[in-house]
Amino acid sequence: MGEHLNVPEIFGSDVFNEAVMQQRLSPAVYHAWKNSIATGLPLELPVANEIAEAMKVWAIEHGATHFTHWFQPMTGITAEKHDSFIEPIGDGRVIMAFSGKELVQGESDASSFPSGGLRATFEARGYTAWDPTAFAFVKDGSLYIPTCFFSYTGAALDKKTPLLRSIDEVSREAIRILRLFGDQETKRIISCVGAEQEYFLLPKDLYAQREDLRLTGRTLFGAPAPKGQEMGDHYYGTIRTRVSSFMKDLDEQLWRLGILSKTKHNEVAPCQHEMAPVYTDANTACDNNQLVMEIMKKCAAKHNLVCLLHEKPFAGVNGSGKHNNWSLATDTGKNLFSPGKTPRQNAQFLVFLAAFVQGVDEYQDFLRSTVAFAGNDHRLGANEAPPAILSIFLGDELTAVVDSIINGTNYQEPEKSVMRIGVDVLPAIPKDTTDRNRTSPLAFTGNKFEFRMLGSSQSISGPNIALNAIMAEELGKFADALEKAVDFDATLQTLICDALTNHQRIIFNGNGYSSEWTLEAARRGLSNYASTNTALPSYISEKNLDLVTRRRIFSAEEFRARYEIHLEAYVKTVRIEARTMVDMIRKQILPAVFDYTRDLAQSVALKQAAGVPCKSETELLNRLSTTADRLYETCEALNTHVQNIPTVQDLRRADYCHDVLLRDMAYARKDADTLEALVGKSRWPYPTYSDLLFY
């Protein structure tokens, strides 16, 4: 029997959390830190110095020799620069030192991070500022300090800063609504998020033999295996011993960092798995998900596995997403998307529901564009992911409530009778009264909304910034009207009814995969952006730009910069994939086919000379040669087109990549996969889908 793991004892043991701070800081400094979080005011240097000293001593006790300001640049992954605690004191000796100044602010070279024009070439400096609302932790011998990242001119260069701004905005506007309903106790609204993470695991040795996997994260070639996922025998199936060992190791590492890893299971596709956490505040959830992705990769390597986070590593089987469970809660623990048991509670819930429905309809293009990138294009709209059309699933019972409000009827009785919101009793709506509808991009799941369009590799920051910003905007509109109302209940009734009536087109409980829904969505006037190059322009539409700047979440320059970065990332991703494809065709696939056809041709010649029938070899040789010639021509065309990508830094580059390069790549893959199915297995230059998915 292995050593017993005491989970409550190890949970958060590597985190300098509030309990540790309360234990190690003086009462005055601890309360100063709490006040800084509540008010947003900066810490005074003496306070920062005491926190830094306590943090350093604690970190050294946990094996740390270095510290790093850990930040989230616009690459979508994290960044870190490590400095040791050592300070020379003469005579060749050192002490371990760490100051409040080093804790609160750091300096990093920002020159190589994407900035979208926010930083001039000669402005190399970037600065990191401690986020006191996120706890420091020890990992791999270093003290990690979560920070914001900004330029020499003060522009946000990261994904954390605008997220924090959006959290403040939605809190401010939601508090206004609660005050109108008599809640004087709540001081802050917490944007809550739980990000489920899907991933694939492959043997390291097989992965190393695939240039496409190593360079792009997905297989650019691969004929279907004789068996795929059609039997459904992997989903929730018994977890392999090797994978189970990885999951056990992963859980322990995550728990030590205070990450609420809750659920683990096999997903639908072979070699696909999922980890789901308990949801927490959005800032922590975003930090934690970045750690989850990083630790998954490192942990897999320890077990001679490779973790793939690409949205579509394999054609023909399910890809990987990241379900983003989002809600709003008070600092007293009340979930604002939980229907209440009294008329006033019902009315408050309906205000938040109506604001969400109205916001998603008005800003559906904004939400869609936050999940638009090359990897996700392969997944959205396929049979394991929601379509590219935004819609909200409410379930039968909640939809009946909405319909009754729109139509002015009692939602249980067929006869007409006006239901006045906030006055009449609306029975409590139980959780899970209907199916979850896996085809819906945004589904109400009892007390939260599950945004299912996120790709498995992306940061969850952008989508949650959008959700927070949209909700803040609509709640602000509602608060403006209700604060001026002469008859509060009548105004409330009108607001909710108008919002649900005018925006009911976004509510859809049916099959999002059906062709009928595509036609119906078009009839309703819903947007349908099937690819990144068509979705991204809407990101910087006048309406969206006005929203984020008026809400002080982005400056106009910061917002446009992110558009430029997303656009360029798309172009670079497709270009790398195209180059990799050309390289594999020229150096691996065609040489293997040529070797095989040479041997076949020799066999045909020998048999013909001996007068022996060789129909099968002749027909196979002709098919191989014809397909190889076509593949060669497609490859050369692709290579030429890669060289001719427009140099202008605008949407034309992305359109060209989508319309020309991806088209060529699809043609090349079709021929290459045909050749793979014809060439003898021992001659094929890299592991096939059968090898990879059923190792």
Side-chain angles (χ1 to χ4, degrees):
M1 294 291 290
E3 183 181 347
H4 175 69
L5 187 65
N6 189 325
V7 177
E9 184 178 297
I10 69 163
F11 189 85
S13 58
D14 291 336
V15 184
F16 192 74
N17 54 31
E18 187 169 352
V20 176
M21 294 175 81
Q22 192 166 14
Q23 181 184 18
R24 290 180 177 250
L25 300 177
S26 66
V29 167
Y30 171 75
H31 289 298
W33 168 74
K34 291 280 286 184
N35 184 63
S36 174
I37 292 174
T39 62
L41 296 173
L43 292 169
E44 295 181 357
L45 188 58
V47 173
N49 280 332
E50 183 176 326
I51 294 175
E53 178 63 22
M55 196 181 285
K56 178 205 72 178
V57 171
W58 173 86
I60 291 172
E61 290 173 3
H62 284 71
T65 57
H66 291 67
F67 69 92
T68 179
H69 275 201
W70 184 65
F71 58 99
Q72 299 171 32
M74 290 184 286
T75 55
I77 56 177
T78 58
E80 53 199 62
K81 180 187 75 170
H82 299 253
D83 291 301
S84 70
F85 289 123
I86 64 170
E87 289 288 341
I89 58 173
D91 300 328
R93 293 179 298 157
V94 298
I95 59 170
M96 304 294 267
F98 183 54
S99 68
K101 184 179 179 181
E102 290 173 307
L103 166 64
V104 172
Q105 183 170 313
E107 182 181 331
S108 175
D109 186 345
S111 60
S112 296
F113 291 113
S115 68
L118 286 175
R119 176 195 55 76
T121 303
F122 58 84
E123 293 171 344
R125 286 182 177 174
Y127 296 93
T128 50
W130 177 38
D131 171 15
T133 66
F135 297 128
F137 55 91
V138 167
K139 183 172 73 73
D140 301 329
S142 284
L143 171 66
Y144 281 70
I145 303 161
T147 58
C148 299
F149 183 50
F150 53 94
S151 72
Y152 183 73
T153 58
L157 291 175
D158 66 342
K159 292 181 175 288
K160 177 184 277 281
T161 302
L163 177 65
L164 292 173
R165 294 170 182 167
S166 74
I167 291 169
D168 287 343
E169 273 296 287
V170 75
S171 176
R172 183 170 63 84
E173 297 294 5
I175 289 288
R176 292 176 64 195
I177 296 293
L178 294 192
R179 294 290 182 263
L180 291 164
F181 280 88
D183 182 344
Q184 303 299 322
E185 181 184 5
T186 301
K187 295 183 175 61
R188 186 165 180 79
I189 299 300
I190 301 163
S191 172
C192 298
V193 174
E196 304 168 26
Q197 182 69 57
E198 294 177 340
Y199 60 98
F200 281 81
L201 290 176
L202 296 181
K204 191 186 297 184
D205 58 335
L206 297 182
Y207 167 88
Q209 297 174 54
R210 297 272 320 205
E211 183 181 356
D212 48 3
L213 282 175
R214 289 186 284 110
L215 297 186
T216 74
R218 74 180 181 102
T219 54
L220 300 175
F221 304 103
K227 177 188 176 184
Q229 64 187 46
E230 62 269 26
M231 299 300 293
D233 50 349
H234 190 258
Y235 190 49
Y236 279 29
T238 302
I239 301 171
R240 305 182 202 189
T241 303
R242 189 173 179 184
V243 173
S244 183
S245 297
F246 157 82
M247 289 178 167
K248 181 177 183 296
D249 192 359
L250 175 67
D251 273 340
E252 182 173 346
Q253 291 187 54
L254 296 180
W255 289 335
R256 288 185 181 279
L257 291 171
I259 297 172
L260 295 159
S261 177
K262 177 75 172 176
T263 304
K264 57 186 180 183
H265 63 84
N266 288 345
E267 258 298 338
V268 178
C271 299
Q272 188 186 32
H273 313 280
E274 181 178 302
M275 168 266 174
V278 179
Y279 67 101
T280 183
D281 71 275
N283 186 32
T284 300
C286 189
D287 287 354
N288 286 353
N289 187 251
Q290 293 289 347
L291 280 171
V292 165
M293 291 190 288
E294 175 196 327
I295 293 171
M296 277 180 170
K297 291 184 175 182
K298 289 185 175 180
C299 186
K302 287 171 55 181
H303 295 265
N304 280 318
L305 296 167
V306 172
C307 176
L308 299 180
L309 295 176
H310 193 284
E311 286 66 31
K312 196 74 170 178
F314 304 100
V317 299
N318 280 13
S320 296
K322 183 146 37 190
H323 292 181
N324 187 88
N325 296 280
W326 178 89
S327 187
L328 296 175
T330 69
D331 55 7
T332 58
K334 297 175 183 175
N335 188 322
L336 297 176
F337 282 106
S338 289
K341 296 181 179 179
T342 67
R344 265 292 183 262
Q345 290 174 341
N346 297 153
Q348 181 179 290
F349 161 72
L350 290 171
V351 167
F352 282 89
L353 176 67
F356 187 83
V357 169
Q358 178 168 295
V360 171
D361 187 32
E362 290 182 347
Y363 293 97
Q364 53 187 279
D365 57 338
F366 186 19
L367 282 170
R368 168 66 181 95
S369 61
T370 65
V371 296
F373 58 98
N376 221 18
D377 279 2
H378 299 290
R379 170 182 164 268
L380 289 179
N383 281 350
E384 78 282 359
I389 305 167
L390 254 295
S391 65
I392 299 173
F393 168 82
L394 294 181
D396 295 339
E397 190 149 4
L398 192 52
T399 299
V401 173
V402 170
D403 288 344
S404 73
I405 293 170
I406 293 171
N407 299 320
T409 60
N410 184 295
Y411 95 107
Q412 284 185 320
E413 301 296 333
E415 64 267 14
K416 293 279 184 181
S417 61
V418 176
M419 184 181 74
R420 294 194 61 214
I421 295 167
V423 179
D424 294 342
V425 175
L426 175 69
I429 303 167
K431 292 175 65 175
D432 301 328
T433 59
T434 186
D435 194 13
R436 294 177 64 196
N437 192 334
R438 307 293 296 184
T439 73
S440 177
L442 255 172
F444 184 72
T445 53
N447 60 0
K448 62 187 184 300
F449 282 93
E450 191 174 13
F451 189 21
R452 299 187 179 132
M453 297 179 79
L454 282 71
S456 52
S457 67
Q458 77 172 110
S459 164
I460 66 172
S461 175
N464 285 295
I465 289 170
L467 288 169
N468 291 339
I470 291 166
M471 199 64 181
E473 176 71 5
E474 304 306 337
L475 291 175
K477 291 177 185 176
F478 283 16
D480 289 343
L482 291 171
E483 286 169 353
K484 294 182 292 188
V486 176
D487 185 335
F488 180 84
D489 286 335
T491 304
L492 181 68
Q493 174 89 20
T494 301
L495 272 177
I496 294 175
C497 185
D498 286 352
L500 296 176
T501 301
N502 296 334
H503 301 281
Q504 60 184 307
R505 66 174 185 171
I506 201 73
I507 300 172
F508 176 66
N509 291 342
N511 180 9
Y513 294 158
S514 69
S515 57
E516 290 81 8
W517 167 234
T518 303
L519 296 173
E520 170 65 15
R523 188 190 65 76
R524 295 186 185 191
L526 301 179
S527 60
N528 183 6
Y529 299 117
S531 58
T532 296
N533 61 306
T534 58
L536 276 182
S538 64
Y539 185 74
I540 53 168
S541 68
E542 185 176 343
K543 172 172 58 72
N544 295 338
L545 182 61
D546 175 67
L547 169 68
V548 297
T549 53
R550 191 163 30 80
R551 289 284 160 192
R552 302 182 300 277
I553 294 169
F554 292 102
S555 68
E557 294 73 24
E558 288 172 340
F559 198 56
R560 289 195 181 95
R562 279 151 179 81
Y563 165 75
E564 297 292 341
I565 289 167
H566 293 323
L567 207 58
E568 191 59 23
Y570 177 77
V571 171
K572 288 178 177 177
T573 299
V574 176
R575 184 170 58 195
I576 289 169
E577 290 183 349
R579 287 173 172 172
T580 303
M581 187 170 258
V582 168
D583 200 55
M584 292 178 71
I585 292 170
R586 285 177 169 177
K587 297 178 180 178
Q588 293 182 295
I589 296 174
L590 287 178
V593 175
F594 295 158
D595 284 347
Y596 192 57
T597 54
R598 182 192 61 233
D599 291 349
L600 267 179
Q602 290 174 352
S603 174
V604 168
L606 289 171
K607 285 190 172 184
Q608 286 177 339
V612 176
C614 53
K615 180 181 177 182
S616 59
E617 292 102 318
T618 303
E619 289 185 358
L620 180 57
L621 181 61
N622 286 332
R623 288 186 65 189
L624 286 166
S625 297
T626 301
T627 308
D629 287 346
R630 190 168 58 239
L631 176 60
Y632 172 79
E633 292 172 2
T634 304
C635 177
E636 293 309 299
L638 174 59
N639 186 56
T640 300
H641 291 152
V642 169
Q643 310 306 318
N644 293 333
I645 294 177
T647 56
V648 289
Q649 297 295 321
D650 61 21
L651 186 62
R652 280 172 287 178
R653 286 162 59 81
D655 287 340
Y656 180 90
C657 287
H658 179 270
D659 298 340
V660 179
L661 297 190
L662 289 178
R663 177 203 63 197
D664 290 352
M665 291 167 67
Y667 291 151
R669 175 165 191 158
K670 182 180 180 181
D671 286 333
D673 291 355
T674 297
L675 290 168
E676 179 185 324
L678 298 175
V679 173
K681 181 173 174 57
S682 63
R683 307 295 188 93
W684 201 246
Y686 46 74
T688 65
Y689 274 21
S690 293
D691 301 323
L692 294 167
L693 294 173
F694 299 97
Y695 63 89

